[in-house]
Every structure is written in structure tokens, then in C-alpha cells.
Amino acid sequence: MRACAVPAFASRLAPDGAVFATAQAFTTERGAAAMTEVKRIGILTSGGDCAGLNAVLRAVVFRAIQGYGWEVIGIRQGTHGLLARPVEAESLDLNLFTGQLLRIGGTILGTTNKGDPFDYPMADGSRRDRSAEMIEGYRMLGLDALIGIGGDGSLAILRRLAQQGGLNLVGIPKTIDNDLGHTEVSLGYATAVKVATDALDHLQPTAASHSRVMVLEVMGRDAGHIALNAGIAGGADVILIPEIPYRIDRVAEKIEALKGQGRNFALVVVAEAVRTEAGEPATQRQAGGALTYGGIGAYIGNRIAEATGAETRVTVLGHLQRGGMPTARDRLMASVFGVHAVDLIARGAFDRMVAWSARRAIDVALADAVATSHRVDPAGPLAHTARGLGIYLGDG
Ligand code: F6P
């Protein structure tokens, strides 16, 4: 990655913030930008990471440089990079993406799911609105547009910044939770489902060898998509998701029924946001103070053991679902989203989010996407499939 000194950027800015340059200063891969207005776009990854982020950076860089002759600036650590002085950003070029990055998880730019710029936690414990500093950071980079890759929370923050500062923003949806509205698929989700399905593939033989009930706790925040999809694909007997209430006596009945059929093991998938029978969420205070979901698997495992007497073990899959090699599907979506996002900028279509719907890339109003949460439909086709397979999915 080529380091990109911010003061040099600043010196290239016209007083009104427009970016003009000589051919020498901004020679592009095609050499096409000579003596014309230079298109320089920024890109950042924001919120929790997931598999496929490097693949989408690659797609954006390939399309922007090869297709339009633009320069792409990668901003580090999500919006935090815009607060640093000098701004933490680097020029991303084609050579960076020739080999491995398509295939590996994480994000080379870094990311953060903390530090809302409008309510930023300061070292002294106070909170401050630092949005103006971030907008100033954006201006210092001389950007014509910004691609923000994020989930509902981070895209909502980026949109607010864009509205306040008049930034030309295009969003790309990513979240293993797949809970963003107006897109059938978000980046990282397919890989998370694969990881959770693989976990069930690993748990089944050991469950059968020891005649045990295996409980697998998966992520997904307030949506049960990972649990439902991996549960069906991985042959679960019970799937508990936050969208559908359950009864532990019915879970126990299901396990007893399996025993009655001669089965010596059972697989139970629990989404992290499932509540206890008393309606309490299971949460954990992380080092550093953040409160996250975690622990419902242990609760369900204990209740199953009490109710059935079965030997029960619990696995919490945790952040394994966010890492690893992106599946072919996630690499494909990354490529589709990256190219479409750059094309939107070329058309001057801002305040939009790229999306996937009915087998094609579309774009939707960013405001609509972040305002709508996509959760499992208890009466939807996959819930119907699960029930059709005899899986206990809650609901009495
Ligand atoms: O939103 C993605 C996600 O992985 C959720 O599924 C999970 O609840 C949360 O982030 C975990 O956050 P953190 O990385 O802060 O532990």
C-alpha cells in the first residue's frame, strides 16, 4: 500500500475544495485524467468486520482505476481515520490486489464499531460531537465521493455525516447478521452461514459418538438469519431465533421424541439474541466496557440437561463467523457491489446503497435501507421449510 501524505493532498486543493491537477501530479493507469478534473474517491470499512471486505475493496479499485481512471483513497479504521491529523489514509492501487487479498478475511483498512462521531467518547469520560472534524478530514483528502461499506448502524452514521457536510456518499451493505433492509444479501453473511454449517458438520459426529445433545450458539444480533439458514443446512433438530418465542418443555419433547425414534444425539442451534424463558437477554460485559450478546447457549444447554437428563455440551461460535476465507458467494457479491457502487458515482447517483434483489444488482435510497430492519419472517418460506422438516422452531 502506498502511503498517502495528507498535506500533499491539501496542497492540491483549489480554494473551493474542487480537485484539479496537472497530468504529472495525477497520472492515472489510463493517463486519461490529464488536464481534466480529477476524480478521487475515498473508501472506508466501518462497523464489525466480515469476510469479503478485501474483495469489495479490490472490486472498487479495479473498476475505479481501470474503468474511469480515478484515484482511490483508503481511509483507515473506519471514520476514525478522518479524525486523525494527518488524516490516516492511503492510496490504493491495482498492484495491491494482484494476489491474495480477494481470498482473505478481515479488512486491510481496519475498521471500528465504536466512536459515534456525533457522540464521541473522549479520554476524560465526556462525550463530544466530532462530526465537523470528520467532515474536515474528508475535505483534506480532496475527495469527490466516498464509498462507505457498513451495516445499518455505520451506514446511518455515514449518511448523517454526508447530509451535514454535503458529501457524495454511496453505501455498500455488509454484515454477517444480514439485517439491513432493501437488500436480500449483505456482504459477509454467506460466509458466516457456511462457518456455522461447518460447525454443525463437526459437531454431529462427536454428538453421535457420545450420545449427546450439542447446543451451538451463533451470532446475528437481533436477527435469526444465521441460525435458521445454518440450522436447516446443517441438519439441526431445534432452531431457536429471536423472532419466534419458544418453550423449553417443547424443546425437551422434541429431544425425547428423537430418542423414541432411536436417535442417540440432537443438534440445537440458538441465535445469540434469544431470550431466557423469563424474557431476559443473555449479555456479557466485554473488557473495555461494551455490552454484547452472549451466553444464551449455556442457559439453553442447562435447561435441556435439567429437562431431559441428556448429556449436553455447548459451543459458542463467536467471531469465527466473521473471519476466514470468504465463500465464492461473498466474493461474487463483493465484486457485484463494488463495481455497481463505482458506476453509481460515475452517474452522480449519491445517497444510494447498492443492493441485491431478484438476481441482480440494484440501488436503493440509503435512508430507506438504514431505516428498515430485515428480520426472519416467522411465516416466511424458510420458517415453513424448517417446520416442514420437523425442526422445532418455537411457537408453542
Ligand atoms: O453485527 C455483527 C456482530 O458480529 C453481531 O453478530 C454480534 O452481536 C456483534 O457484531 C459482536 O460485536 P463485537 O465485535 O463488538 O464483539
Side-chain angles (χ1 to χ4, degrees), residues 4 9 40-43 71-75 89-91 141 143:
C4 205
F9 287 163
R40 176 191 276 181
I41 64 171
I43 187 162
E71 185 176 12
V72 183
I73 305 297
I75 297 160
E90 316 199 25
S91 184
L141 292 174
L143 301 175

Side-chain angles (χ1 to χ4, degrees), residues 47-50 113-114 151-152 174-179 218-223 226 272-273 286 290-294 318-319 321-322:
D49 77 321
C50 63
N113 59 5
K114 288 182 210 64
D152 57 351
K174 67 89 223 161
T175 165
I176 65 164
D177 308 330
N178 207 32
D179 56 354
V218 300
M219 282 184 168
R221 226 173 30 169
D222 296 308
I226 298 175
E272 62 179 356
Q286 303 293 345
L291 198 63
T292 60
Y293 283 125
H319 294 78
Q321 292 157 102
R322 296 229 302 248

Side-chain angles (χ1 to χ4, degrees), residues 21-170:
T22 63
Q24 202 179 14
F26 285 96
T27 302
T28 67
E29 299 299 315
R30 300 190 314 171
M35 302 309 288
T36 61
E37 185 176 344
V38 172
K39 287 281 188 183
R40 176 191 276 181
I41 64 171
I43 187 162
L44 58 82
T45 49
S46 194
D49 77 321
C50 63
L53 293 178
N54 291 320
V56 75
L57 295 176
R58 170 183 180 267
V60 165
V61 167
F62 278 18
R63 183 61 169 163
I65 294 176
Q66 298 178 144
Y68 297 101
W70 299 344
E71 185 176 12
V72 183
I73 305 297
I75 297 160
R76 289 198 158 275
Q77 302 303 135
T79 46
H80 282 191
L82 295 172
L83 279 181
R85 298 292 180 268
V87 174
E88 288 181 9
E90 316 199 25
S91 184
L92 305 178
D93 54 38
L94 295 172
N95 292 338
L96 189 59
F97 296 97
T98 50
Q100 283 201 325
L101 282 179
L102 171 68
R103 300 161 223 291
I104 60 179
T107 161
I108 55 165
L109 293 179
T111 187
T112 179
N113 59 5
K114 288 182 210 64
D116 178 351
F118 297 93
D119 189 29
Y120 198 88
M122 305 300 289
D124 64 3
S126 65
R127 302 188 90 85
R128 196 197 292 168
D129 181 349
R130 300 189 70 186
S131 54
E133 289 169 69
M134 285 197 185
I135 292 164
E136 180 190 59
Y138 172 91
R139 300 238 176 275
M140 284 173 158
L141 292 174
L143 301 175
D144 298 312
L146 176 68
I147 294 179
I149 308 166
D152 57 351
S154 42
L155 286 180
I157 287 172
L158 283 170
R159 178 166 194 270
R160 204 172 152 195
L161 274 180
Q163 298 284 301
Q164 182 177 315
L167 321 183
N168 294 326
L169 177 66
V170 168

Side-chain angles (χ1 to χ4, degrees), residues 170-347:
V170 168
I172 295 180
K174 67 89 223 161
T175 165
I176 65 164
D177 308 330
N178 207 32
D179 56 354
L180 257 161
H182 296 274
T183 181
E184 287 163 14
V185 177
S186 289
L187 208 55
Y189 170 63
T191 305
V193 171
K194 180 185 186 305
V195 170
T197 306
D198 287 351
L200 290 169
D201 291 348
H202 285 80
L203 288 171
Q204 188 276 331
T206 177
S209 302
H210 284 265
S211 302
R212 284 174 171 168
V213 175
M214 291 293 188
V215 177
L216 178 68
E217 178 183 316
V218 300
M219 282 184 168
R221 226 173 30 169
D222 296 308
H225 299 294
I226 298 175
L228 181 57
N229 283 256
I232 293 172
D237 304 296
V238 174
I239 302 174
L240 303 181
I241 58 175
E243 293 89 344
I244 303 179
Y246 67 94
R247 279 177 36 197
I248 212 74
D249 57 333
R250 300 299 305 275
V251 174
E253 263 171 38
K254 173 70 192 175
I255 290 167
E256 296 294 356
L258 290 170
K259 219 189 281 179
Q261 292 161 19
R263 184 95 88 67
N264 75 329
F265 73 93
L267 298 177
V268 177
V269 180
V270 187
E272 62 179 356
V274 165
R275 312 256 155 168
T276 65
E277 293 158 286
E280 298 296 327
T283 55
Q284 287 180 353
R285 184 72 62 187
Q286 303 293 345
L291 198 63
T292 60
Y293 283 125
I296 193 65
Y299 171 83
I300 295 289
N302 284 333
R303 296 291 290 115
I304 288 174
E306 283 163 15
T308 64
E311 200 177 357
T312 304
R313 294 289 186 271
V314 178
T315 301
V316 180
L317 206 44
H319 294 78
L320 289 175
Q321 292 157 102
R322 296 229 302 248
M325 196 179 264
T327 60
R329 172 74 177 173
D330 266 331
R331 295 184 210 182
L332 195 64
M333 293 318 304
S335 305
V336 168
F337 286 161
V339 168
H340 193 59
V342 173
D343 289 347
L344 283 180
I345 293 174
R347 285 180 7 221

